[in-house]
Amino acid sequence: MTLNIIFPVLNEQLRLRAGIEKTIRYMEHYCEKYGRIAYQCTIADNGSDDGTPQIARELERRHPDVVRYLRIEERGVGIAFRTGVEQNTCDIVGTMDIDLSTDIVNLGRTIQLFMKNPELQYVNATRFHKKSKTEGRRWYRKITSAGLVFLLRANFHMKASDAICGFTFLRSETARSLVAECSDDTGWFYMIELLLRAERRGVKIYDMPVRFTEDYNTTVNVPKTIRNYLSRIRALKRAFRQEEKEAKTLQEEEEIYRREV
């Protein structure tokens, strides 16, 4: 099995080197303990204008076998992930936040899950599972995250208990097919659309409880975030309704054709 870990980064000169080096150390330890697997750390730099590109190229030179620097001029987690998937050649592909807020031991758990369960297609990390452990989360981030889950369940009957934990891995064929279906949204909501489309399709998903430590440097504008949630949800509901209408029309046309033949 081969693994591609995509790290979407934007102006992460303070955390990039530590995040990549820690991941490499963890993977070396994992390979020593469980057997070597081929892996790649893809730094998907979506428009950084600080020292991120220089650090990324330095890491690529230092670790040419396992680090790849991918420069994307347009900003957004969505376009970083989509581009990484489109260029991926590994069996498993996914994304992690460079601050490693989701404990890196979950990377090893994910590898084992895919190895032991051939039918598993999607691993979705969750902070809201009863077995998850979270530390350092500010009250307003808890409210906005829980509120988003409530809205997604109310509007899309989402089964997953979390939507944007920042840790998602898929088998490559499933990732490519979902990316082909998704919109051209460039931002964080792209990952939510990916999950919802996987659920609509009946993809085998594991809602994985994790240990999650909040990055204290993050901030959030609660009113703006809520407005953004509502706007993106309305747009995706319209898209799903239109797709369902087109699918129904196609089915009716095929039925008419069969009767005529």
Side-chain angles (χ1 to χ4, degrees):
M1 189 182 80
T2 54
L3 173 70
N4 186 0
I5 311 161
I6 300 171
F7 291 93
V9 295
L10 174 62
N11 293 338
E12 291 285 5
Q13 64 180 11
L14 299 180
R15 295 185 286 194
L16 178 57
R17 182 177 286 104
I20 295 297
E21 296 285 5
K22 184 174 181 179
T23 301
I24 292 172
R25 288 195 301 271
Y26 176 80
M27 287 303 302
E28 289 175 347
H29 172 74
Y30 177 90
C31 291
E32 288 177 2
K33 186 174 182 179
Y34 296 103
R36 179 153 297 279
I37 69 167
Y39 71 94
Q40 174 178 298
C41 296
T42 299
I43 302 170
D45 174 12
N46 47 290
S48 294
D49 54 17
D50 64 352
T52 295
Q54 291 77 19
I55 296 170
R57 293 189 183 97
E58 176 191 335
L59 288 165
E60 188 178 43
R61 287 192 298 270
R62 184 181 300 174
H63 307 283
D65 295 332
V66 295
V67 175
R68 180 192 176 205
Y69 175 54
L70 176 62
R71 174 70 182 189
I72 306 157
E73 294 304 329
E74 190 172 358
R75 293 188 172 188
V77 172
I79 193 167
F81 178 78
R82 181 165 68 243
T83 304
V85 168
E86 290 171 347
Q87 298 191 20
N88 171 62
T89 59
C90 295
D91 302 321
I92 306 296
V93 60
T95 180
M96 290 173 56
D97 289 339
I98 195 62
D99 62 5
L100 305 181
S101 49
T102 301
D103 196 324
I104 198 168
V105 300
N106 293 292
L107 186 56
R109 291 178 59 208
T110 298
I111 295 169
Q112 292 295 311
L113 283 166
F114 280 117
M115 283 183 167
K116 295 177 180 179
N117 300 278
E119 74 283 0
L120 179 64
Q121 297 294 317
Y122 197 128
V123 171
N124 174 64
T126 171
R127 297 159 294 183
F128 296 112
H129 193 282
K130 61 183 180 181
K131 294 183 179 180
S132 296
K133 295 181 180 180
T134 61
E135 298 177 359
R137 298 214 79 204
R138 302 286 178 88
W139 64 267
Y140 50 82
R141 294 194 69 87
K142 291 181 180 179
I143 290 173
T144 54
S145 297
L148 174 61
V149 171
F150 172 81
L151 290 171
L152 294 174
R153 286 180 169 175
N155 285 276
F156 302 103
H157 307 290
M158 185 180 77
K159 300 180 182 66
S161 59
D162 201 349
I164 47 172
C165 186
F167 186 102
T168 297
F169 284 86
L170 305 90
R171 294 195 188 274
S172 59
E173 62 273 17
T174 300
R176 283 192 295 268
S177 61
L178 288 171
V179 163
E181 288 182 9
C182 282
S183 69
D184 58 359
D185 187 286
T186 60
W188 56 267
F189 199 81
Y190 184 90
M191 301 305 298
I192 295 175
E193 180 181 351
L194 189 87
L195 175 61
L196 293 173
R197 287 188 179 276
E199 287 193 346
R200 280 161 62 89
R201 192 197 290 184
V203 169
K204 180 69 172 179
I205 302 171
Y206 177 55
D207 210 36
M208 185 173 72
V210 295
R211 184 186 182 101
F212 182 90
T213 303
E214 184 70 88
D215 181 351
Y216 284 101
N217 291 325
T218 59
T219 59
V220 64
N221 182 318
V222 175
K224 181 179 179 180
T225 299
I226 293 173
R227 289 194 298 271
N228 199 2
Y229 287 166
L230 294 173
S231 174
R232 300 299 179 89
I233 286 170
R234 284 194 296 268
L236 188 58
K237 285 185 72 174
R238 287 194 299 270
F240 281 175
R241 283 197 297 267
Q242 181 62 29
E243 290 172 12
E244 290 167 358
K245 181 179 179 181
E246 292 173 356
K248 183 178 180 181
T249 299
L250 180 60
Q251 185 178 14
E252 291 172 348
E253 290 174 350
E254 289 175 348
E255 182 62 30
I256 292 171
Y257 174 77
R258 283 194 297 269
R259 288 200 300 267
E260 291 177 346
V261 171

